[in-house]
Amino acid sequence: MAIETLQAVKFPLHHSRLIEASAGTGKTYTIAALYLRLVLNHGSAGENFGRPLQPNELLVVTFTEAATEELRDRIRARLSEAARWFRGDISKVDEFLQQLSADYPDQQQWPQLAQQLDAAAQAMDEAAIHTIHGWCNRMLREHAFASGSLFTQQLHTDSTQQWLGLARDYWRNHVQLLAVEERSSYQRLTEVLQSPQALYQKLRPLLSIATAASAPPLATPQQLLTAYQQAEQQLRSEHHNQPWLQWLDAAWQALLQQWATKNIDGRKFKPSFGEKWFAQLRHWAAQVGEGDSPLMPPLTAPAISRLHYHGLVDVLKQPDQAAELLQQPLWQALVDLQQAVTQLPEYRIGVLEHAAMWLQQRFATLQAERAQIGFDDMLTRLQQALQGAHGARLAELIRRQFPLAMIDEFQDTDPTQYAIFNAIYRLAKPYPNTGIFLIGDPKQAIYSFRNADIYTYLQARNDTSPRHYTLVVNYRSTTAMVAATNSLFLPANNHAEGAFLFKDQQHDPVPFVEIAAHGLKSQWQIAGQPASALQWFCYNNASANANTNTDILLKRLAEHCAEQMALLLKHPETGFFSDSGKLQRVQPGDMAVLVNSGSQARLIRAALRKRQIPSVYLSDRDSVFAGSLARDLLIVLRACASPRDPQLVRAALATELIHLSLAELESLK
């Protein structure tokens, strides 16, 4: 199915629509442009929303606080720029605003448009631009009656210890009690759950999925195990109470006879295989009848597939001369036993489902008693409310409050989030006078750790079909980079499974769409010459061999890296050349070094420090309190708390925050 190229000035401003925006194609610019049009109610009848929308009616959802602030600032700036254009305060704007103003040929209308845009820009502090968690929390608070939520709740950011405590409670209530009375059941449960800590780790993906409050109770582990044990006992009575040893002896003799007459293809079935398999079968048959004997012989899948009628026919050169072998009752008995074992009730999944629901219910009770809410609870509680008895009323209230929503980074939406928006806006068949625009790119999912998956995106793509659009110009990368990417992925569309392995015989739900390059205004050059996009450094020294210490090699690589950076910074003709030939020298802040560990980062920083090149180490794993700045701040705060302690005051004055010289410190009395 063809994807329509998005033109911001002509994009229909209603219904559900999917916008695929690859990296660098102007996604934020497009969101701001659509926002501007919605504020003006721009567009012809049937394509626009029907009335101007205010910032507090336009819901924009993204994933991080930083992204919300950036969107808010970019939209405010765009609204202000458009207002100045319609007032005549600026004479040059981009193509979008020129096309937009061309749709208002009566310039006497422009002051009114500028006033609308100014009012919207001034109201951006009240605009509904939120993270998904922040918005869900707001909906629970503002619609407390319809959602069944508390009016005031304390945000609890880390609930790990609460979940672990509940896991231990579950273990005591449903596992530990069986340790004495039901030893076999206890052993089976511990094989599945292992320990309270392991139980929590296994269930973490399930705990973030909302469960309807009206969901029927699940069978307990004891009930599941009782049903399994009853079925197992029936299997033993029907299949184990057979003359297995007698059947084995007769089948083995029949096999030996066929080997003796060379009627068995030795390439497919060697006597050594048969001896090994029948030894395992005899050992198992000797235990049959004991309480804890294995249900099935410990044979591999190839062995089981060989030891039945069709498997033996495959190895026989003349099957019609092996009637005695093929008619042995052992072969069919093994097949019947295998089928009976596979039909036993599955209790492992049921145990995990019961544990997940039990923990969810207890956690919800605990949170309600403490008036607490966690990040995941914000989503699951809103989803549960939308699925509950008053869900339709709640969805209607939210639609009235936010008749149009734009969901940024939609490729990272998880099933819970999708269920929320689908319940409110009904993507496959949206309500009248509503709209929801999903903006994202399935090729760049970055929040999969939050349970985002491609199948949620594919469902949204199907629900919004055929209203699909794409941004086709890359503004961030060089022309050569875009061309290389197109050359790599375009031929992959012809692969049987498509470029991203989702193609079937009928269609490809995630095709690669060719992107054009806008090009950059500057070019990176080294020593006045265009530089290669990728360069390799191969360390080849006679003193380095297979026994060279890894630490030594890492130090040498760090020295090489720092030396190359120093050369780039020192060369007078290295930097970014504009189209006019003006050079912007490269700065330390233009450079980034990617490392695998903090120890490697320290080596790089030490090598740079030797060359008097400043650097900053950035890591998501490091605490803000682990840096030297935090230590200095602590010293200063201690001095402020005890200003009469001269030792603390001197220590504070010696920190880099105050930055007194040794002479100044010495002069202080």
Side-chain angles (χ1 to χ4, degrees):
M1 182 180 297
I3 302 177
E4 185 175 346
T5 299
L6 188 146
Q7 299 181 53
V9 77
K10 297 181 179 179
F11 183 83
L13 299 176
H14 70 290
H15 218 290
S16 63
R17 305 184 188 277
L18 180 68
I19 302 172
E20 293 193 352
S22 299
T25 54
K27 179 186 62 175
T28 304
Y29 176 93
T30 301
I31 292 175
L34 298 181
Y35 200 102
L36 191 157
R37 290 183 58 208
L38 287 161
V39 167
L40 295 178
N41 190 34
H42 172 264
S44 59
E47 290 187 355
N48 61 13
F49 196 79
R51 64 180 178 85
L53 294 181
Q54 301 303 313
N56 62 349
E57 296 179 292
L58 286 165
L59 174 63
V60 181
V61 176
T62 188
F63 272 80
T64 65
E65 293 290 351
T68 61
E69 291 307 312
E70 180 187 3
L71 272 172
R72 190 184 304 274
D73 292 342
R74 293 280 294 274
I75 293 172
R76 179 189 284 113
R78 193 61 167 153
L79 292 170
S80 298
E81 180 188 25
R84 293 196 303 273
W85 166 253
F86 280 110
R87 283 198 305 266
D89 294 344
I90 53 178
S91 59
K92 186 177 181 180
V93 290
D94 59 17
E95 183 181 0
F96 167 75
L97 284 180
Q98 291 177 357
Q99 293 176 347
L100 181 69
S101 58
D103 288 341
Y104 298 97
D106 183 5
Q107 295 194 10
Q108 293 183 356
Q109 188 182 2
W110 285 21
Q112 180 184 352
L113 299 177
Q115 185 178 3
Q116 285 181 246
L117 293 167
D118 269 333
Q122 294 170 12
M124 282 306 296
D125 288 336
E126 301 175 0
I129 302 177
H130 300 282
T131 64
I132 178 65
H133 293 85
W135 177 72
C136 288
N137 191 30
R138 176 184 170 183
M139 292 300 95
L140 291 171
R141 185 176 64 253
E142 292 185 357
H143 303 289
F145 282 118
S147 64
S149 301
L150 300 176
F151 284 98
T152 303
Q153 299 181 94
Q154 179 184 2
L155 177 60
H156 193 61
T157 58
D158 187 1
S159 56
T160 302
Q161 293 305 317
Q162 291 180 353
W163 284 113
L164 285 172
L166 293 173
R168 288 189 285 269
D169 289 345
Y170 184 86
W171 190 272
R172 285 191 291 266
N173 282 277
H174 294 281
V175 181
Q176 195 61 42
L177 292 176
L178 303 177
V180 177
E181 300 177 359
E182 297 286 345
R183 190 66 185 176
S184 61
S185 297
Y186 174 76
Q187 290 176 346
R188 285 195 170 97
L189 277 180
T190 53
E191 289 175 0
V192 178
L193 305 179
Q194 298 177 346
S195 68
Q197 292 77 12
L199 167 63
Y200 169 63
Q201 293 299 328
K202 283 185 176 182
L203 295 180
R204 284 184 66 181
L206 297 177
L207 297 176
S208 62
I209 300 175
T211 300
S214 59
L218 298 176
T220 66
Q222 183 59 59
Q223 292 170 335
L224 292 167
L225 286 169
T226 298
Y228 176 84
Q229 290 167 349
Q230 291 174 350
E232 179 187 297
Q233 186 60 36
Q234 183 177 356
L235 181 150
R236 291 181 184 277
S237 64
E238 293 179 357
H239 294 275
H240 282 192
N241 190 21
Q242 301 288 352
W244 287 99
L245 289 173
Q246 179 181 340
W247 288 346
L248 284 167
D249 289 339
W252 181 245
Q253 292 301 321
L255 271 173
L256 290 177
Q257 181 181 358
Q258 294 301 317
W259 268 311
T261 59
K262 298 183 179 181
N263 192 26
I264 295 180
D265 187 345
R267 295 171 300 179
K268 297 181 178 180
F269 193 8
K270 297 180 180 179
S272 59
F273 293 169
E275 291 174 357
K276 177 183 177 181
W277 295 343
F278 270 75
Q280 293 174 330
L281 284 167
R282 288 192 179 93
H283 180 73
W284 169 78
Q287 302 177 66
V288 168
E290 299 178 5
D292 296 331
S293 62
L295 294 179
M296 278 288 295
L299 295 177
T300 62
I304 293 176
S305 65
R306 182 61 69 200
L307 295 180
H308 65 74
Y309 179 87
H310 296 290
L312 291 170
V313 169
D314 180 58
V315 302
L316 289 170
K317 298 177 181 178
Q318 297 181 2
D320 56 339
Q321 296 184 11
E324 182 180 355
L325 173 65
L326 296 175
Q327 293 174 4
Q328 291 295 323
L330 175 65
W331 321 130
Q332 187 60 42
L334 286 173
V335 171
D336 294 342
L337 177 60
Q338 184 182 26
Q339 291 178 349
V341 170
T342 58
Q343 292 173 1
L344 286 173
E346 173 58 60
Y347 65 88
R348 295 171 181 83
I349 296 177
V351 166
L352 293 175
E353 289 177 342
H354 179 271
M357 179 173 285
W358 192 94
L359 290 177
Q360 284 179 323
Q361 292 173 346
R362 295 301 190 279
F363 185 77
T365 302
L366 183 64
Q367 295 287 75
E369 291 173 350
R370 299 181 179 182
Q372 292 179 340
I373 189 170
F375 284 115
D376 289 337
D377 304 321
M378 297 174 185
L379 276 66
T380 55
R381 290 187 190 180
L382 183 57
Q383 182 190 3
Q384 290 169 346
L386 290 167
Q387 294 174 343
H390 304 287
R393 174 59 177 164
L394 175 61
E396 182 182 1
L397 290 173
I398 296 176
R399 279 195 305 275
R400 288 182 181 178
Q401 187 175 2
F402 305 109
L404 189 132
M406 289 188 276
I407 316 301
D408 189 20
E409 301 289 0
F410 186 77
Q411 75 278 355
D412 294 308
T413 299
D414 64 25
T416 299
Q417 296 163 20
Y418 184 76
I420 290 171
F421 293 120
N422 197 33
I424 297 170
Y425 294 100
R426 199 172 62 185
L427 275 79
K429 190 178 180 181
Y431 295 92
N433 298 321
T434 63
I436 179 168
F437 307 153
L438 313 177
I439 306 116
D441 180 11
K443 301 184 291 297
Q444 50 169 331
I446 60 175
Y447 291 102
S448 57
F449 66 91
R450 293 182 179 174
N451 300 323
D453 63 34
I454 186 64
Y455 298 102
T456 302
Y457 184 91
L458 294 180
Q459 180 182 352
R461 206 173 192 277
N462 182 65
D463 288 345
T464 56
S465 179
R467 301 173 297 280
H468 298 162
Y469 304 81
T470 186
L471 299 174
V472 295
V473 179
N474 182 290
Y475 297 89
R476 186 182 299 169
S477 303
T478 64
T479 302
M481 175 61 75
V482 174
T485 303
N486 288 335
S487 298
L488 177 64
F489 284 98
L490 268 180
N493 276 337
N494 298 325
H495 187 271
E497 296 180 337
F500 304 105
L501 307 182
F502 285 96
K503 184 179 181 180
D504 57 27
Q505 295 180 352
Q506 297 180 349
H507 72 291
D508 187 354
V510 190
F512 176 78
V513 179
E514 184 176 9
I515 300 297
H518 180 268
L520 301 181
K521 296 181 179 179
S522 61
Q523 183 185 47
W524 166 248
Q525 295 186 9
I526 299 177
Q529 299 296 322
S532 302
L534 183 65
Q535 299 180 28
W536 292 93
F537 166 67
C538 298
Y539 187 78
N540 185 13
N541 192 299
S543 62
N545 52 51
N547 297 322
T548 301
N549 190 290
T550 302
D551 292 339
I552 295 176
L553 289 176
L554 288 175
K555 288 180 180 178
R556 292 174 180 174
L557 288 170
E559 290 291 333
H560 173 81
C561 179
E563 184 63 24
Q564 293 300 310
M565 295 171 72
L567 291 175
L568 294 174
L569 291 168
K570 291 178 181 178
H571 199 285
E573 295 186 12
T574 293
F576 303 94
F577 283 81
S578 65
D579 295 339
S580 61
K582 184 179 179 181
L583 169 65
Q584 179 183 342
R585 290 282 300 275
V586 64
Q587 301 297 319
D590 296 326
M591 300 180 179
V593 182
L594 303 183
V595 294
N596 287 328
S597 64
S599 60
Q600 293 181 14
R602 286 189 289 273
L603 291 174
I604 296 289
R605 295 196 69 186
L608 290 171
R609 195 177 296 115
K610 285 171 56 178
R611 294 160 176 82
Q612 298 183 352
I613 300 175
S615 63
V616 177
Y617 176 52
L618 302 176
S619 173
D620 291 338
R621 296 183 180 182
D622 280 359
S623 169
V624 67
F625 300 107
S628 59
L629 180 62
R631 291 193 296 270
D632 284 356
L633 182 59
L634 177 61
I635 294 171
V636 172
L637 291 174
R638 284 174 174 171
C640 293
S642 303
R644 296 182 181 276
D645 188 330
Q647 186 175 358
L648 292 178
V649 173
R650 290 193 188 98
L653 294 173
T655 62
E656 292 186 8
L657 284 175
I658 299 178
H659 204 61
L660 293 182
S661 66
L662 290 175
E664 290 171 322
L665 289 172
E666 178 65 24
S667 65
L668 294 175
K669 301 298 183 181

